[in-house]
Every structure is written in structure tokens, then in C-alpha cells.
Amino acid sequence: MTIGSVPVRFGISVDHSRCMLCGRCVENCPYDVFRKEGDTIHVNSRKCVACHRCIAMCPRDAISIREHPVDYRSHPVWTQEAREAIYNQARTGKIILAGMGNAKPYPIIFDSLVLDACQVTNPSIDPLREPMELRTYIGKKPKRLEFVKDGDSLSLATPLAPNLMLETPIMVGHMSYGAISLNAQKSIAMAVREAGTFMGTGEGGLHPSLYPYQDHMIVQVASGRFGVNIDYLERGAAIEIKIGQGAKPGIGGHLPGEKVCEDVSCTRMIPVGSDAISPAPHHDIYSIEDLKQLVRSLKEATEWKKPVFVKIAAVHNVAAIAAGIARSSADAVVIDGFRGGTGAAPRVFRDHVGIPIEAAVASVDAKLRSQGIRNEVSIIASGGIRESADVAKAIALGADAVYIGTAALVAMGCRVCGTCYRGLCPWGIATQRPDLVARLDPEIAARNVANLIHAWTLELSELMGAAGINSIESLRGNRDRLRGYLLDESIMRVLDVKPVGA
Amino acid sequence: MDRSGHLMDGAKIRSALSMMDERGSGEGAGYAVYGAFPEFADHYAIHVFFDAVHETKGLVDCELEKWGTIVHDEEVPTFENRNIRKVHTPWRYFYRPDPSLMPRSTTPEDDIVMHLVMKINTTIPGALVYSSGKNIGIFKASGWPEDVADFYRIQDYKGYTWLAHNRYPTNTPGWWGGAHPFNLLGWSVIHNGEITSYGTNRRYIESYGYKCTMYTDTEVVAYLFDLLVRRHGLSPEVAVKALAPPFWDEIDRMQEREQALYRAIRLAYGSAMMNGPFAIVVAQPESIVGFTDRIKLRPLVCGTSGSRLYISSEEAAIRIMEPDLEEVFMPRAGEPVIGRLGE
């Protein structure tokens, strides 16, 4: 009993005057917080993760959750998190796991950037009355064009590399079957098909029930190569090589054996119940020229018909790395910022490794332009995109499109409790337990995700129209339309934006 | 433009521009004339605004002589006008670059002159190159159109193409460098509007070695034309389609060959595409092209009479130059109107 109990994180109370003993809280909580004894609902607050499933399901609003009902003695340095991490590690001697994205209160650069609008000297454009173009092509673009003249008509002589055509610059990033449920993947798949955009499969293979959506799927080749065979590669609209991810740059992936049910085992091509451990590096990539070989092998395997993306975590030297990738025959580089989410990551990585997406995109775009190779690759920004304004700002900083992850999950009900790594997601999203998965109705969840993409697309159109821009190309890299609000001078130099008022 | 190459003096264009005084604020006007210097037709006419000639001219001379020969130079004649404060001394050099100094270039002379323009404008304070084409004169200053015309006596110059622009500045009032036309090599540009894609266009063009030094959106148009037409070899028609392309909806309805063409143009030149309200006229020695933004947020009207092609913001300005027009028409949004010498 050296350490003893630490204060509970969440205190739950049931208003017995409102409770009608329906027992939905008991049924819905996979963490066993609630139990019904006689005419009373009893709670064990210590088990609560604040996923809010009980709150959402209680028909009488009888449940309330309070954060830190018993707090630690306050201290500016020895915060609750610092102390709890120590107690935890003193007990276990292990690495602490965490879910979702970076949870440190670093300032969010997006929130210190403001967008522009037209007044007098140029008219704003009303998207309800004028065309507004958000169509985005992802892939290599020729630097210049050659034509052949045939009488009066011109024909194109420059061959075009395969590109993905997006009706909106918003895609859904890679969340594997295994990390999330099949119903969650299906919901996203239906949504992206409706929205005219794409989603990533993650490193989990492609379940046969997703084949109808394969034209909207980007299949992933990661360091474990789980689920990869020629059939898988050929089904995808594009192929993405995952080098790293923003939530845990520099390390591999880990799907616990408990999540590897029969179906996941088939899709991943691994035995039932075995841990799926993706190594930190690709064992065939130890240098940039090795990456080039893999890019070209994948292209060769798919007859040069599919764009190949390379995803890297935003790390300090991201611009130079992206420039290397641009020369590797890859068609797009995905930059995943340090706020990128994940099912499970060591807390120390999630919170301390990598850089924010805003700075990463700005420096990658600037580097590619300075080397004259910006057309060689598209830039996809991901990690911490929370609303349409973030999309607009990421594009104005230089991205071609964005990946959203957490936002799509939130649209399906996720409350960002950050407990994905336990596999008990009460919303049926980050779990493989059949009774929990069944809670997520793909038809409804798909509508929610499609609504979200549609709503952001509308907001993006309005923002562009207000800025007097009717095509997304003219927003891309248009940093003149951004201003930094209380950003320091050094970061504004990196972003190449002026301060407000300048 | 007189498409048969007949020369016109500057008197008519002065009266046309004065018709549109209402569109300006008396803080900037300018003229470009093609065919201005027949005796030095083969030399680059490099025009420089000096803040203080005795301080900076030596530096400019030195820079020019590194790359070629100054065949002749002189102060641009100006005539006192009580409405114009002569804050700069306009100077013109007739210059012959040495192509052997720029090996491995297909257009060494143009490349040298472009390099010099960027170099002088970014490294020599107090000197601004505002024109650098062969046989092209640019006359601009801060003032009303008729005062600027009289200040330079543009009626004394003759040319087959004239551009004229009256400015209502918001960004850099009173700065001579901010007045239109903007020129680089053979390209001269006049522009009514504001380019909302300027940030994107500037980043694009600067990755090809151009440097924006005029604090205004219009100069990128000259650089974009230089890149697309001179360096990438596009025809003026295709260049306009890159800068003001058809909408995707229209492209989707095109025949396969055309669709492939326009899709490729939008993919390759997406960053060159110009957004925002504009009517633009771009001239080069052999041709002139006028076009507007894709939804025509600025007016553009054209008229023809014999070999003469007129492009203007207002019909009244055309009518005062040529009361008997054969044809008057308004081009559709994004549709280029092109006049070619010898047509």
C-alpha cells in the first residue's frame, strides 16, 4: 500500500429523484461503472473514462459526471498528470499507453491565424449565385505542357500521371480495420463515396464487405505489410506507404491480440489472437533510395495506373524529407502533424515528439517551391484538423487537401475520451467486440460523416467566396490571405505570414 | 493596336484616357508605346527611375556593363507641369547584352536582361527599372492622365500599339513605380481590378526566379506571361486559358480531346490561375491580348475599324479615338481578344 489509491478522475452521480431505473446505463457502460441493486443504481466512479455513453443514453438526464471531484494538492510543476504517470510507472515499470492525439496544452497555431475577406476594392463572390470550385486533383502535375497542332485544333502531347479527383479537398485518413470496427469503416466508406472523396484503409487490409467502395479507398502499405497482396493493391484507387504517423513518429504500430478476431485475422493475414506488431522502420527502407525502390515497385506491380502516396510524421526536418520524397516518383506526400490521433500510442511519444502541422505544411511547401518541384507531389495535411477554418488555413499555407480522422469519428459519436487502446469503445467505433460494434448503425453513421464533409465544404465555399476566390487553386499557398494574430515573429517567418494589421 | 503596323502618335490615346478620368484619382497614369525607338529598334530600351541620378546611376551603369554594352543613354525628356512633382528622374538606356555570358540558354539576351531587372530592383535602392523591352517606351508618373501625357509629351512618340492606364491607387498612392503599364522585356500589362490569388501567383512565379518588387498585384501578370509564353512556349490563347481557365463543369461537357487539354492546363498551371476581378490587356511586340476574369467582374469592350483593334474599359474611350467603328463587342468572361501584327 505504498502508493494507495489516487484521486478518482471522474465523479459520477445519479439523481435518484430523476432515475427511473431503466438500466440503460448498466447495459451501455462497457467499463462496468454502473450496477443495479434493488431499487438503486450504484456507481463505481473509479472505472469511468468519461465516454459519455451513459449520459447520451439516459432518458431522464439523471446522470452527471464531474472531472476531478477530488483534486490533488495544486502545484504548478507537479501537475496531476505528472504525478499520476509516476504512480502508474512506479507500479508497473512499463511504458504508458494513451489514445487519440497530443494532449499537452501547446498553443494551436491555427487559432492564431485569421482569414481574409473582400471589402470594396474587390467584390466577394456569392457561392449561392456563382460557381465555386473545390475540385482537387491529388497526384503529380506536369511542370509544363507540350501540344501538337493539328490544323486549327491543339492536342495535348504531355502525358499526365494518374491523379485522384476529389470533389472536396477533405479526405478521411487511415484508420485500420482492427483499430476501428468494420461498421465504422463501412460508415466512412459510404460517406466518402457520397461526398466524392477518398478514405484510407490503414494497415489492416481491405475487408471484402468494403469492396463495393474500393474506388474510394487508398490502400496502405505500412511496415508490418499486414493485409498486403496484389489483389489488395489493385483494388485501391491509390496506394499509400506509411513511414510514420503524427501521434507516434519514429515507432511502429501495435494491435493487441485481443482485437484480432477471426475477421480481422483474415483481413490482416495473421493468426487469430496474435499481436500485430508493425516494426518501427520498414525493413526494406533504410534510406531515401530504398523508398524510391518501393514506390516504383508498387507502381510496377499496379502497371503505373495508381498514384502512390508517402505518409510521414511531421518532424523537425520534414521539409527536406518531403523534398526527398518528391524526387522518389511518389505522387503525394502526406504530412501528419503532432496532433494526429491514434488508437494507441506511448504517451511520451504522443505528447512530446513531432511538430505541428501548420509549420510543417508551410515549410514543406516553401522547400518544394524553392527547389522547383512543387508540381512533383501533392501535399496532404493531417493531424488536428477540427473544422472547416482549419482546412482553409491548411490549404492557404500550401496543402492540396487534408485528411481528417478524429473529426470523422466524432461525427459518429466519439466523445474523445482517449481510451481507444482498451478496445471497449462504447460507441462501437474503436472496438471489435460484436455487441459494441453492433451499436454503430453504418447507415446513420455514414449520413453523419457525409453531413460533416458536406457542411465543411459549404463553409469552405463561403470562406473562399468572401475572399473573392472561386477556385481552390487560388487559395492554395495564398498566405497573403492569412494574418498571424499574436504569433511570435519567428513562427510567422516560418509560416511566411504577416501579422494582423500589416 | 494597328494590326498592319501603321504608326499612331499619342494624341488620340491621351484623349481616350482623359475620357475616363472618373475611373482614376489623379495619383497615377501611364502609357506604353510599341515602335517608339526605330533608331534603336534592336536594343533593349531599359527605363529606370532614379531617386538621385548622381548617387545611383553609376551603380546601374556598372551592373549593365557587366553583362553587355550600353549603346546610348539619356534622360527621358520631360516638360514641366504644375500638377506633377518630379520625384524621380526617368532615364533610358539602349542596351545590348552579351549572349556569350549566358551559355546553355535558348534566349540568352532576354535572360540577361531579366536577371538585370531583378538584380537592380532588389539590390540598388533608389533605382527602379520599369521597362526593359526592345523598341518599347513606357511613360508613367503620379498624376492625371492628361498631365502625365503632357509631362512626357507622348504626342511626340509614334507606335503601332499603345496601352494607357488611369489609376485609382489604394495600396501605393503617389508612387511612380506603382502606375501601370508594367513591363518586362516585350511584355506590358495594364490591369483594372484586384488579383485575389496574388499570394499564390507570387509564390509560383518566384519559384521560377522572378522577384516581385512593385508592391502591387499587376506585375505578376507580366511575369506569368513571360514564363508561360516565352519560357514554356504556350501560345497567347493557351496562356490566357491557363490564367482564366474554363470551369470544371464546362470542361466536363467538352469532347474528349479538348477535355484532356483543359484538364491538363488546370492541373499544370493551377498556381498560375488568376482569381478576383480583373480586366487585363497584355501587349508584346507582335500581338495584344485582352481578357477578363472567369466571371467578368470588370468591364471589357472592344471595337474594330480597319486594321485597328481597340480594347477598353469603356466604349466612350474607343469612340473618341474612332467615331466610325465597324464593330463593337463585349467578349465573354475569360475569352481572350487577340490582335496580331500583320493580320
Side-chain angles (χ1 to χ4, degrees):
Chain A
M1 222 16 201
T2 316
I3 294 169
S5 292
V6 297
V8 290
R9 286 197 62 194
F10 304 101
I12 298 181
S13 49
V14 177
D15 181 345
H16 294 291
S17 68
R18 298 193 60 78
C19 173
M20 61 180 198
L21 296 169
C22 66
R24 285 185 204 170
C25 50
V26 181
E27 283 163 31
N28 269 282
C29 180
Y31 300 103
D32 296 330
V33 170
F34 299 93
R35 65 182 196 282
K36 188 174 169 188
E37 282 178 14
D39 285 347
T40 321
I41 298 286
H42 292 268
V43 296
N44 179 355
S45 288
R46 192 163 291 281
K47 291 183 168 176
C48 179
V49 301
C51 70
H52 279 209
R53 180 75 186 183
C54 56
I55 305 248
M57 292 299 147
C58 178
R60 301 293 292 271
D61 287 337
I63 302 169
S64 56
I65 301 180
R66 210 146 48 89
E67 200 159 5
H68 307 316
V70 185
D71 221 333
Y72 287 79
R73 183 193 186 282
S74 66
H75 192 283
V77 178
W78 296 97
T79 58
Q80 180 209 333
E81 288 76 25
R83 276 176 272 186
E84 281 188 355
I86 292 174
Y87 298 138
N88 187 339
Q89 293 186 303
R91 280 201 190 96
T92 62
K94 302 251 167 72
I95 288 169
I96 298 174
L97 277 187
M100 310 304 298
N102 196 316
K104 282 264 179 200
Y106 295 108
I108 297 175
I109 299 174
F110 279 135
D111 292 343
S112 297
L113 288 171
V114 285
L115 291 159
D116 194 16
C118 293
Q119 298 290 297
V120 185
T121 55
N122 48 13
S124 35
I125 301 169
D126 185 347
L128 296 175
R129 293 176 175 80
E130 302 282 354
M132 193 55 66
E133 299 188 307
L134 282 92
R135 187 185 289 186
T136 301
Y137 282 85
I138 299 293
K140 248 180 224 315
K141 319 279 191 297
K143 198 168 180 177
R144 56 195 288 179
L145 298 175
E146 307 279 343
F147 303 95
V148 283
K149 213 166 178 168
D150 176 21
D152 266 354
S153 63
L154 278 183
S155 293
L156 186 68
T158 311
L160 285 189
N163 269 252
L164 292 190
M165 188 187 93
L166 284 55
E167 289 300 346
T168 174
I170 303 164
M171 297 188 280
V172 181
H174 290 257
M175 294 177 284
S176 71
Y177 174 42
I180 61 171
S181 65
L182 191 56
N183 278 358
Q185 271 205 340
K186 250 187 233 167
S187 311
I188 298 170
M190 286 189 247
V192 294
R193 186 167 70 177
E194 189 190 316
T197 181
F198 294 81
M199 69 175 283
T201 59
E203 191 191 18
L206 188 63
H207 190 275
S209 68
L210 293 170
Y211 291 169
Y213 310 97
Q214 65 191 23
D215 292 345
H216 293 269
M217 299 285 227
I218 300 157
V219 297
Q220 194 177 64
V221 173
S223 59
R225 298 286 196 273
F226 297 124
V228 179
N229 61 15
I230 186 65
D231 176 63
Y232 172 70
L233 297 178
E234 276 173 352
R235 283 182 188 279
I239 301 167
E240 181 167 314
I241 301 172
K242 180 192 127 181
I243 300 295
Q245 72 185 83
K248 40 184 170 177
I251 60 175
H254 180 193
L255 184 71
E258 300 85 71
K259 274 184 156 178
V260 183
C261 59
E262 185 113 2
D263 246 9
V264 171
S265 112
C266 294
T267 314
R268 287 217 177 203
M269 308 172 189
I270 55 173
V272 177
S274 66
D275 285 1
I277 297 177
S278 308
H282 284 244
H283 285 316
D284 53 0
I285 302 179
Y286 279 80
S287 65
I288 190 81
E289 60 267 33
D290 293 346
L291 173 74
K292 182 177 169 182
Q293 284 189 356
L294 181 59
V295 170
R296 297 175 78 94
S297 320
L298 291 170
K299 289 193 169 196
E300 196 64 40
T302 51
E303 298 172 331
W304 297 79
K305 283 180 187 152
K306 295 179 197 295
V308 173
F309 303 174
V310 176
K311 173 175 167 179
I312 53 171
V315 290
H316 304 188
N317 205 20
V318 65
I321 299 164
I325 292 169
R327 293 187 169 79
S328 73
S329 319
D331 300 274
V333 56
V334 183
I335 317 282
D336 197 18
F338 78 162
R339 288 181 205 285
T342 182
R347 195 187 69 116
V348 65
F349 278 80
R350 187 194 70 171
D351 292 350
H352 296 281
V353 184
I355 65 169
I357 188 61
E358 302 90 328
V361 165
S363 63
V364 168
D365 178 66
K367 177 74 90 182
L368 296 181
R369 283 183 196 275
S370 73
Q371 299 185 9
I373 50 175
R374 180 63 181 84
N375 270 12
E376 286 296 309
V377 279
S378 293
I379 298 174
I380 301 166
S382 72
I385 307 282
R386 304 153 301 165
E387 53 176 315
S388 59
D390 292 350
V391 180
K393 291 169 189 178
I395 292 173
L397 286 170
D400 288 271
V402 302
Y403 269 160
I404 59 170
T406 305
L409 302 186
V410 172
M412 293 193 278
C414 164
R415 296 296 203 264
V416 196
C417 73
T419 324
C420 330
Y421 57 95
R422 286 180 59 187
L424 292 173
C425 177
W427 298 90
I429 300 168
T431 179
Q432 301 304 330
R433 217 172 83 181
D435 61 315
L436 299 177
V437 173
R439 292 179 181 182
L440 188 72
D441 181 332
E443 295 289 337
I444 298 170
R447 170 90 336 259
N448 292 346
V449 175
N451 278 347
L452 180 76
I453 297 174
H454 182 64
W456 285 16
T457 305
L458 285 178
E459 288 182 338
L460 196 54
S461 308
E462 292 284 347
L463 289 171
M464 284 166 50
I469 286 172
N470 62 14
S471 178
I472 195 87
E473 294 102 303
S474 297
L475 180 65
R476 191 172 307 132
N478 199 342
R479 303 184 194 177
D480 289 39
R481 311 311 294 278
L482 292 171
R483 287 290 186 274
Y485 185 41
L486 297 182
L487 282 175
D488 68 63
E489 213 178 325
S490 57
I491 191 73
M492 282 197 292
R493 229 184 351 262
V494 170
L495 301 177
D496 190 20
V497 296
K498 292 181 190 155
V500 286
Chain B
M1 176 187 216
D2 191 311
R3 288 170 287 191
S4 63
H6 289 306
L7 301 182
M8 304 167 276
D9 71 35
K12 276 188 174 174
I13 193 93
R14 175 190 182 278
S15 60
L17 195 60
S18 302
M19 280 297 289
M20 296 188 287
D21 273 0
E22 202 170 277
R23 291 183 170 271
S25 65
E27 292 169 285
Y31 303 84
V33 51
Y34 283 67
F37 309 114
E39 66 276 35
F40 295 109
D42 294 333
H43 300 109
Y44 290 85
I46 296 180
H47 291 55
V48 185
F49 284 138
F50 286 114
D51 290 354
V53 178
H54 58 282
E55 282 175 18
T56 35
K57 183 163 181 296
L59 298 170
V60 171
D61 289 356
C62 172
E63 202 58 53
L64 293 174
E65 278 160 358
K66 274 188 211 164
W67 290 89
T69 315
I70 299 169
V71 177
H72 175 69
D73 74 294
E74 63 191 10
E75 186 178 340
V76 178
T78 55
F79 302 88
E80 210 169 295
N81 183 306
R82 63 194 176 90
N83 294 327
I84 290 182
R85 203 165 72 85
K86 191 173 171 183
V87 293
H88 303 290
T89 306
W91 207 276
R92 61 190 172 214
Y93 293 86
F94 295 98
Y95 181 68
R96 192 174 60 224
D98 179 352
S100 69
L101 296 175
M102 186 74 81
R104 290 192 304 275
S105 165
T106 49
T107 51
E109 298 186 324
D110 282 352
D111 287 348
I112 289 172
V113 173
M114 182 185 129
H115 162 80
L116 284 167
V117 173
M118 301 296 157
K119 181 85 189 287
I120 293 168
N121 287 351
T122 52
T123 62
I124 305 182
L128 182 83
V129 179
Y130 61 96
S131 182
S132 51
K134 286 178 182 171
N135 212 0
I136 302 165
I138 300 270
F139 305 101
K140 59 185 182 181
S142 181
W144 290 102
E146 52 278 17
D147 290 328
V148 173
D150 295 343
F151 177 68
Y152 288 106
R153 284 205 188 148
I154 64 159
Q155 56 269 36
D156 294 350
Y157 295 89
K158 284 193 172 128
Y160 56 90
T161 296
W162 279 90
L163 302 184
H165 185 266
N166 181 13
R167 187 166 181 235
Y168 190 137
T170 50
N171 205 10
T172 52
W175 187 52
W176 289 23
H180 304 204
F182 286 93
N183 168 284
L184 179 74
L185 302 172
W187 304 104
S188 303
V189 178
I190 51 177
H191 166 218
N192 169 18
E194 186 167 316
I195 300 172
T196 55
S197 57
Y198 173 67
T200 302
N201 304 143
R202 181 176 58 84
R203 293 175 66 74
Y204 175 68
I205 205 75
E206 287 189 345
S207 71
Y208 287 94
Y210 298 85
K211 293 190 180 77
C212 294
T213 53
M214 310 283 184
Y215 311 105
T216 179
D217 49 4
T218 306
E219 66 172 327
V220 296
V221 183
Y223 303 159
L224 285 168
F225 265 88
D226 187 59
L227 177 72
L228 268 51
V229 179
R230 181 174 68 88
R231 287 168 64 182
H232 284 188
L234 304 185
S235 68
E237 286 91 340
V238 175
V240 168
K241 290 298 177 194
L243 302 182
F247 286 94
W248 286 116
D249 281 352
E250 297 166 50
I251 295 174
D252 290 347
R253 288 195 298 268
M254 290 174 180
Q255 301 292 326
E256 202 178 328
R257 180 191 56 79
E258 240 189 326
Q259 201 178 79
L261 188 77
Y262 282 102
R263 185 182 300 118
I265 288 173
R266 290 202 63 170
L267 258 57
Y269 293 111
S271 300
M273 165 181 174
M274 296 193 305
N275 228 301
F278 62 78
I280 286 175
V281 176
V282 180
Q284 61 169 326
E286 303 81 30
S287 63
I288 184 168
V289 51
F291 62 109
T292 66
D293 62 88
R294 309 195 297 160
I295 50 178
K296 205 168 180 185
L297 293 168
R298 287 286 192 272
L300 195 72
V301 55
C302 304
T304 55
S305 171
S307 59
R308 304 230 168 130
L309 169 69
Y310 301 91
I311 305 174
S312 170
S313 290
E314 286 184 21
E315 193 175 326
I318 298 178
R319 295 245 176 228
I320 199 159
M321 288 187 279
E322 182 57 69
D324 293 322
L325 287 169
E326 286 158 14
E327 191 191 6
V328 179
F329 60 98
M330 284 165 227
R332 292 169 62 91
E335 280 302 319
V337 175
I338 297 179
R340 285 193 176 79
L341 205 56
E343 243 177 17

